[in-house]
Amino acid sequence: MLAAGIHGFILAFGLILPLGVQNVFVFNQGSIHKQYRRVLPVILTASISDTLLITLAVLGISVILLQIAWLTALLLTAGILFLIYMGYLTWRSKPSEVTAKQEAFSAKKQITFAASVSLLNPHAIMDTIGVIGTSSLTYSGPAKITFALACILTSWMWFFALAFVGHQVGRLRKSNGFLDILNKISAAIMWGTAIYLALTF
């Protein structure tokens, strides 16, 4: 079981580490909000969404769902459109000292956006199913549960840490120019991901 836990940790960490839309959004919200506790909605939503995807992947349910052609097409289309919309909002965001409070997403908006970039991101879904779901097939019983829990725990720790680092960066670098550049980079990554998904549709 220990080997399964270590495998799950390394695998989940490797998948979650790259700078994707979900990570950028969590980091960005952490850097914008003045209080770390105000980023909890996005952290918890991203973590719960990943927990759901990992659980479905390990149980094999997600593989069955993605075999339905129209559902796969719907997921891809919704994901692409939402990434374009999010990129537009992020690009137009102006994190000046005067408007910082207004630009920081409310709890409701954090939850909505975090759930969308997690559950409507076909790339993340494919990664979860293709890598975590497939890897879980080598285990059974308690070892499989340990593997899944290790993946889930890694995801939770990562989002809490990522938001914290973003928060510290936001505190250290109060420059409007820095946050504006961060927003532009975030928007570019979102649009780039949308283009990639559209080309591979």
Side-chain angles (χ1 to χ4, degrees):
M1 286 202 301
L2 179 61
I6 294 171
H7 181 201
F9 172 76
I10 294 172
L11 194 63
F13 188 71
L15 284 176
I16 206 168
L17 188 60
L19 189 65
V21 177
Q22 191 184 40
N23 284 343
V24 167
F25 182 66
V26 174
F27 181 88
N28 208 4
Q29 286 302 297
S31 67
I32 291 172
H33 284 271
K34 291 182 178 180
Q35 294 178 308
Y36 180 71
R37 63 183 177 83
R38 295 195 178 276
V39 197
L40 285 177
V42 73
I43 296 171
L44 294 176
T45 304
S47 300
I48 291 169
S49 298
D50 267 24
T51 299
L52 177 62
L53 290 177
I54 292 168
T55 303
L56 290 175
V58 171
L59 292 176
I61 296 172
S62 51
V63 178
I64 297 171
L65 291 176
L66 285 179
Q67 286 177 345
I68 305 170
W70 67 267
L71 183 59
T72 304
L74 181 65
L75 275 172
L76 281 166
T77 303
I80 290 167
L81 292 175
F82 204 83
L83 285 172
I84 293 170
Y85 172 67
M86 277 189 60
Y88 170 75
L89 289 184
T90 305
W91 185 275
R92 285 178 55 87
S93 178
K94 299 186 185 301
S96 65
E97 291 296 325
V98 178
T99 61
K101 191 172 181 181
Q102 288 84 354
E103 294 297 338
F105 282 7
S106 65
K108 184 179 179 181
K109 209 168 185 180
Q110 285 184 56
I111 292 169
T112 303
F113 274 55
S116 300
V117 297
S118 302
L119 301 176
L120 294 180
N121 186 347
H123 195 261
I125 294 172
M126 298 297 183
D127 275 353
T128 307
I129 295 167
V131 182
I132 292 178
T134 304
S135 297
S136 70
L137 296 175
T138 59
Y139 302 107
S140 61
K144 192 167 192 171
I145 295 172
T146 302
F147 173 81
L149 288 176
C151 291
I152 291 168
L153 183 60
T154 302
S155 176
W156 280 73
M157 289 190 303
W158 172 258
F159 288 124
F160 271 96
L162 186 63
F164 180 76
V165 171
H167 181 65
Q168 295 305 312
V169 169
R171 288 178 61 191
L172 294 172
R173 301 293 298 272
K174 293 296 183 182
S175 166
N176 294 338
F178 171 75
L179 292 177
D180 190 50
I181 291 170
L182 183 62
N183 281 342
K184 297 295 186 286
I185 293 172
S186 300
I189 290 173
M190 291 174 195
W191 287 333
T193 304
I195 292 169
Y196 173 78
L197 289 173
L199 291 176
T200 56
F201 200 111

